[in-house]
Amino acid sequence: MKLQLLVTIFFIAHTCKAQFKTLTGSSGKSIESYGIRQDVFGTWMGRSTWQDLNDGNWMWVEESGLPKWKNDHFDRPVDVGTPLIPTDMQEAPNSLLQEVIDGKRDSVYLSLGKNLAKYGTITVFSRIWWEFNMYPVKQQADLFVRAWQRAIPLIRKGFKSKAVNDQKLEIVWCTNAGAPNPEPFYPGDDFVDIIGSDTYGMTWGKMNPTKEQILHRILNDPYMLKWQADFAAKHAKPVCIGEWGNVAVKKEGVDDSRGLNDFPEYIDAIYEWAKTNKYGCRYVNYFNLEDGGILTTLDKTPRSLKRLKIRAEQARK
């Protein structure tokens, strides 16, 4: 009863008037294998070198699943985690950002845009430097903004030059939900199409959380879902969730991300939140992999899977 009251209070206080369709997608094992229509395919690019960005590295690799997705479902979107700079290089990010600002990498972004069209589908959601505010933040906000403002028009130009069949590129500014404050990194409305976040069903700490603690965090903590909805409304932008998913219960006593493994109320909370956004929620892309400390999947969370089937179908109507 207490849990339901928490969710209800939030959504009554923050309900939006307009109704929009929300597409459901996935990364990793396709949700279509469970009988859920997959409307968005999630993937990522390489970010080890400037050549990775120039070539759109990994998008064409069969193991990524994108070539097959494009062949089978050109009419459905793809979500591509797209580097702004090659952050896996052993160089200071501020130095790399300055190269962008100085125009030394203009040709890279033109080529990147062309490859997003070449390897993408009818709609390409490009999550540029997804989770850019993940702690510890090593780049200066002013350099990040100026580099973004230099790169995005070039990516858009390259994409437009190679687009076919009315292909569309949508630039996603995608935070790692929560602190540090992402707002100083916002590059301006002309350079962003969608306000995104990666919001997992977990808390940080040494002890596993309660249901109430997870829901309170994802909805109400600083720079989490309520903030995202408010920020997007302020900038007249739709939202998305580029990555979300349940997180495993973990051994106590060590600082870590901690979830409840099979937590269907979290599934409900995400879809209910999607309805609150003034300009709509374009899509929610479930991270169906054990990577990155998640350590669980839909295969291991049957109650959440059952809830996802119901909510995904409702959201796209």
Side-chain angles (χ1 to χ4, degrees), residues 211-230:
K211 294 179 178 182
E212 288 81 6
Q213 286 171 332
I214 290 178
L215 291 180
H216 185 274
R217 174 182 180 266
I218 68 170
L219 297 174
N220 297 312
D221 269 15
Y223 315 115
M224 299 294 289
L225 291 178
K226 184 182 185 302
W227 169 86
Q228 183 183 350
D230 291 341

Side-chain angles (χ1 to χ4, degrees), residues 190-253:
D190 291 342
F191 303 93
V192 172
D193 298 309
I194 301 171
I195 305 296
S197 75
D198 292 353
T199 304
Y200 287 92
M202 45 72 68
T203 62
W204 291 100
K206 294 185 178 182
M207 298 183 65
N208 290 311
T210 65
K211 294 179 178 182
E212 288 81 6
Q213 286 171 332
I214 290 178
L215 291 180
H216 185 274
R217 174 182 180 266
I218 68 170
L219 297 174
N220 297 312
D221 269 15
Y223 315 115
M224 299 294 289
L225 291 178
K226 184 182 185 302
W227 169 86
Q228 183 183 350
D230 291 341
F231 188 82
K234 177 181 175 182
H235 292 274
K237 302 290 184 183
V239 302
C240 74
I241 297 184
E243 296 176 26
W244 66 298
N246 277 305
V247 174
V249 173
K250 308 217 178 138
K251 183 179 179 181
E252 294 184 3

Side-chain angles (χ1 to χ4, degrees), residues 32-250:
E32 293 208 330
S33 64
Y34 310 105
I36 305 170
R37 178 183 165 96
Q38 182 176 1
D39 278 312
V40 184
F41 179 88
T43 190
W44 298 268
M45 280 178 49
R47 53 187 178 185
S48 297
T49 65
W50 284 111
Q51 199 65 43
D52 281 344
L53 276 70
N54 187 82
D55 297 344
N57 199 12
W58 298 354
M59 286 194 289
W60 68 82
V61 176
E62 290 295 332
E63 288 80 3
S64 75
L66 182 53
K68 185 176 189 310
W69 176 262
K70 179 177 180 178
N71 182 68
D72 295 346
H73 301 299
F74 182 81
D75 60 331
R76 302 186 198 178
V78 61
D79 171 280
V80 182
T82 309
L84 179 62
I85 57 173
T87 50
D88 289 345
M89 288 182 68
Q90 299 302 310
E91 290 191 32
N94 289 333
S95 175
L96 298 174
L97 290 169
Q98 191 64 55
E99 290 184 38
V100 180
I101 294 165
D102 293 342
K104 295 179 180 178
R105 301 296 177 179
D106 285 1
S107 63
V108 169
Y109 296 109
L110 282 168
S111 178
L112 172 56
K114 292 176 182 178
N115 284 318
L116 285 169
K118 179 179 179 180
Y119 300 115
T121 58
I122 189 65
T123 301
V124 177
F125 299 119
S126 182
R127 283 190 297 140
I128 306 289
W129 196 338
W130 67 104
E131 301 182 355
F132 58 84
N133 64 318
M134 180 175 285
Y135 181 83
V137 175
K138 297 180 179 180
Q139 74 278 8
Q140 292 177 210
D142 63 327
L143 297 181
F144 176 94
V145 166
R146 289 164 61 198
W148 185 294
Q149 292 172 344
R150 178 91 187 191
I152 296 308
L154 295 166
I155 294 172
R156 285 171 168 165
K157 181 179 180 180
F159 187 92
K160 185 176 180 180
S161 72
K162 292 296 182 179
V164 297
N165 300 326
D166 298 319
Q167 277 182 293
K168 183 179 181 181
L169 174 67
E170 298 201 38
I171 301 297
V172 183
W173 183 76
C174 185
T175 72
N176 180 52
N181 180 5
E183 292 190 32
F185 295 87
Y186 189 65
D189 293 344
D190 291 342
F191 303 93
V192 172
D193 298 309
I194 301 171
I195 305 296
S197 75
D198 292 353
T199 304
Y200 287 92
M202 45 72 68
T203 62
W204 291 100
K206 294 185 178 182
M207 298 183 65
N208 290 311
T210 65
K211 294 179 178 182
E212 288 81 6
Q213 286 171 332
I214 290 178
L215 291 180
H216 185 274
R217 174 182 180 266
I218 68 170
L219 297 174
N220 297 312
D221 269 15
Y223 315 115
M224 299 294 289
L225 291 178
K226 184 182 185 302
W227 169 86
Q228 183 183 350
D230 291 341
F231 188 82
K234 177 181 175 182
H235 292 274
K237 302 290 184 183
V239 302
C240 74
I241 297 184
E243 296 176 26
W244 66 298
N246 277 305
V247 174
V249 173
K250 308 217 178 138

